[in-house]
Amino acid sequence: MSRLVMKFGGTSVGDVERIARVARIVAAERKPGRGLAVVVSAMSGETDRLVGLARAAAGETPNGGGLPAKDFNDEYDVIVSTGEQVTTGLLALALRRIGIPARSWQNWQIPFRTDDAHSKARISEIEESELGASIDAGVVAVIPGFQGVTEDGRITTLGRGGSDTSAVAVAAALKAERCDIYTDVDGVYTTDPRIVPKAQRLEKISYEEMLEMASLGAKVLQTRSVELAFAHRVPVRVLSSFVEPGEPNPGTLVCPEEEIVEKQVVSGVAYSRDEAKVTLLGVEDHPGVAAEIFDALANANINVDMIVQSEARQAGRQNILFTCPEREAGRASETIEAIKGKIGVDEIHIRRDVAKVSVIGIGMRSQVGVAKTMFAALAQKGINIEAIATSEIKISVLIDAAYTELAVRALHTAYGLDAA
Ligand code: ADP
Ligand code: ASP
Ligand code: MG
């Protein structure tokens, strides 16, 4: 008996006709001796609509207001998780209509357990015994992505884009041969094909590179889904849901590095506009100051990314720059204000119109001059670099957000990634 998990994103289930096509794609994968589980997202636009309703009910306006997270997030999960539930029923009906035995499973029925970090819960365990037996008996299971249930039975969600993670988690629990992620592009590209028409589909990409791509902004897969796939060695394929069964649809395989014969120096370019830059000028320069600052930020649950420290003009003082997600910038500034006395900072500046652009590739480990190419390509376009961060397989720079697309295109060309 083998098992396959298929996942369909919001655009792929955007209306009843598309859901009917999804049913045909699922039917084509059905064969004797293979159990199928299908994970679905909410219909496109639905989650945003539900988020809007939740915020309005909590009294939030474009100028702020609303309930604190502790009084909001659990009911937010109850509201936004309903989008996926609707799709499970619709797809189960569409499958039955073409003669395929199918049923929906809500997460509390599986159950699909998570911790209680509402709105960004992490999966703790999936008890799959009944689910496994049902799909092995030939009934297609249609499962809502994005949602889970806590130990004490409350509904949670896994963060935006979380249906990818649900699908990989189900695949790991069912010991599936593969997890196929059907979406509105026909694979993982060298960069977002929406902004670089010359981007190319990759045949294969390693877990490590996909992890960097996702965490640096390529939203084709949620970062956590790649982490889980990597940890459980689940082969993941990303492919188009707009192709009728039987037509070519090779997609991209996310797989162990060893399976990639030709290792590119740079495989992809990613970008994120969800960045803010916080600059602290004239911070006291003695041991323990950085610890004080980043400890306070961690306690305030602020996700700090790039950090740059440099000497200030005045003796005994330094400047510190860090980045965090845009929506956390206000809180970051309040947190620093609160410890101002202890760290002796002169000025705090926040800039929200910045973007992070990154190049990623496992071949970088063994190649020199990769950074030079990046800096030269940006300089040629007159783009100023405000901060730099590197790891073994990526280089990221912080730039003025107005130049994001220009920078992505320039880097795509500079590393020879443009399609002919
Ligand atoms: P779904 O609703 O199926 O989960 P998403 O909108 O979450 O789909 O993700 C697919 C989108 O990711 C594509 O439409 C594309 O614009 C974007 N994307 C960003 N970077 C990449 C990339 N490197 N390769 C493919 N798609 C990318
Ligand atoms: N519907 C959820 C979202 O829009 C989860 C997902 O589609 O992956 O974020
Ligand atoms: Mg998605």
Side-chain angles (χ1 to χ4, degrees), residues 7 9-10 40-43 47-48 80 84 145-146 159-164:
K7 180 257 169 177
V40 290
S41 286
M43 297 165 85
T47 308
D48 287 340
V80 300
E84 269 70 13
F146 189 41
R160 297 303 305 267
S163 297
D164 299 327

Side-chain angles (χ1 to χ4, degrees), residues 37-121:
V38 185
V39 174
V40 290
S41 286
M43 297 165 85
S44 58
E46 187 56 15
T47 308
D48 287 340
R49 187 183 74 84
L50 294 166
V51 169
L53 280 176
R55 289 191 177 148
E60 198 171 304
T61 67
N63 304 323
L67 290 165
K70 70 174 179 32
D71 298 327
F72 178 70
N73 289 348
D74 55 344
E75 298 303 341
Y76 162 95
D77 284 348
V78 170
I79 298 160
V80 300
S81 63
T82 60
E84 269 70 13
Q85 176 165 340
V86 170
T87 318
T88 57
L90 294 174
L91 180 58
L93 293 178
L95 284 164
R96 288 178 185 177
R97 189 172 155 203
I98 56 169
I100 308 285
R103 67 156 281 193
S104 63
W105 291 76
Q106 302 313 307
N107 287 309
W108 50 270
Q109 296 167 327
I110 296 177
F112 190 112
R113 298 256 182 239
T114 70
D115 63 14
D116 61 0
H118 285 284
S119 85
K120 48 173 191 289

Side-chain angles (χ1 to χ4, degrees), residues 118 160 226 241 411:
H118 285 284
R160 297 303 305 267
V226 189
S241 68
L411 295 173

Side-chain angles (χ1 to χ4, degrees), residues 190-228:
T190 44
T191 192
D192 189 345
R194 282 184 210 279
I195 73 163
V196 181
K198 285 186 171 171
Q200 304 189 62
R201 181 176 55 82
L202 297 161
E203 283 298 319
K204 288 182 178 180
I205 183 167
S206 67
Y207 291 118
E208 290 94 326
E209 286 168 309
M210 193 63 238
L211 198 54
E212 291 281 11
M213 289 260 268
S215 68
L216 295 167
K219 72 164 187 166
V220 60
L221 290 176
Q222 197 198 34
T223 307
R224 180 81 186 118
S225 73
V226 189
E227 275 171 15
L228 267 186

Side-chain angles (χ1 to χ4, degrees), residues 27-327:
E29 289 290 356
R30 207 162 162 263
K31 56 184 186 197
R34 179 197 251 180
L36 293 181
V38 185
V39 174
V40 290
S41 286
M43 297 165 85
S44 58
E46 187 56 15
T47 308
D48 287 340
R49 187 183 74 84
L50 294 166
V51 169
L53 280 176
R55 289 191 177 148
E60 198 171 304
T61 67
N63 304 323
L67 290 165
K70 70 174 179 32
D71 298 327
F72 178 70
N73 289 348
D74 55 344
E75 298 303 341
Y76 162 95
D77 284 348
V78 170
I79 298 160
V80 300
S81 63
T82 60
E84 269 70 13
Q85 176 165 340
V86 170
T87 318
T88 57
L90 294 174
L91 180 58
L93 293 178
L95 284 164
R96 288 178 185 177
R97 189 172 155 203
I98 56 169
I100 308 285
R103 67 156 281 193
S104 63
W105 291 76
Q106 302 313 307
N107 287 309
W108 50 270
Q109 296 167 327
I110 296 177
F112 190 112
R113 298 256 182 239
T114 70
D115 63 14
D116 61 0
H118 285 284
S119 85
K120 48 173 191 289
R122 282 172 79 97
I123 299 158
S124 43
E125 140 191 42
I126 302 177
E127 295 155 31
E128 58 82 17
S129 54
E130 262 189 76
L131 174 69
S134 174
I135 66 169
D136 291 349
V139 182
V140 175
V142 188
I143 301 169
F146 189 41
Q147 53 174 275
V149 62
T150 63
E151 206 52 59
D152 49 8
R154 296 232 59 196
I155 289 174
T156 53
T157 60
L158 307 180
R160 297 303 305 267
S163 297
D164 299 327
T165 301
S166 309
V168 173
V170 169
L174 290 174
K175 302 196 172 41
E177 60 191 90
R178 204 176 59 237
C179 181
D180 283 344
I181 307 267
Y182 286 82
T183 183
D184 57 4
V185 276
D186 64 353
V188 177
Y189 275 68
T190 44
T191 192
D192 189 345
R194 282 184 210 279
I195 73 163
V196 181
K198 285 186 171 171
Q200 304 189 62
R201 181 176 55 82
L202 297 161
E203 283 298 319
K204 288 182 178 180
I205 183 167
S206 67
Y207 291 118
E208 290 94 326
E209 286 168 309
M210 193 63 238
L211 198 54
E212 291 281 11
M213 289 260 268
S215 68
L216 295 167
K219 72 164 187 166
V220 60
L221 290 176
Q222 197 198 34
T223 307
R224 180 81 186 118
S225 73
V226 189
E227 275 171 15
L228 267 186
F230 194 9
H232 295 274
R233 294 277 149 162
V234 178
V236 171
R237 199 163 57 136
V238 177
L239 65 173
S240 170
S241 68
F242 297 155
V243 176
E244 284 294 335
E247 288 173 23
N249 195 4
T252 299
L253 186 70
V254 188
C255 62
E257 193 179 321
E258 306 81 70
E259 287 176 31
I260 297 173
V261 185
E262 206 160 317
K263 296 187 174 51
Q264 299 295 326
V265 175
V266 168
S267 317
V269 183
Y271 66 92
S272 160
R273 290 195 181 91
D274 176 24
E275 307 286 329
K277 180 176 89 167
V278 182
T279 314
L280 312 178
L281 297 179
V283 181
E284 278 173 23
D285 193 9
H286 59 74
V289 172
E292 189 81 55
I293 295 171
F294 293 104
D295 192 43
L297 293 167
N299 289 336
N301 227 337
I302 291 160
N303 248 311
V304 173
D305 180 23
M306 297 168 145
I307 301 174
V308 179
Q309 183 184 331
S310 58
E311 255 174 50
R313 278 208 203 104
Q314 319 97 292
R317 297 278 172 158
Q318 56 174 330
N319 301 330
I320 294 181
L321 168 167
F322 66 87
T323 63
C324 65
E326 207 174 333
R327 65 188 176 285

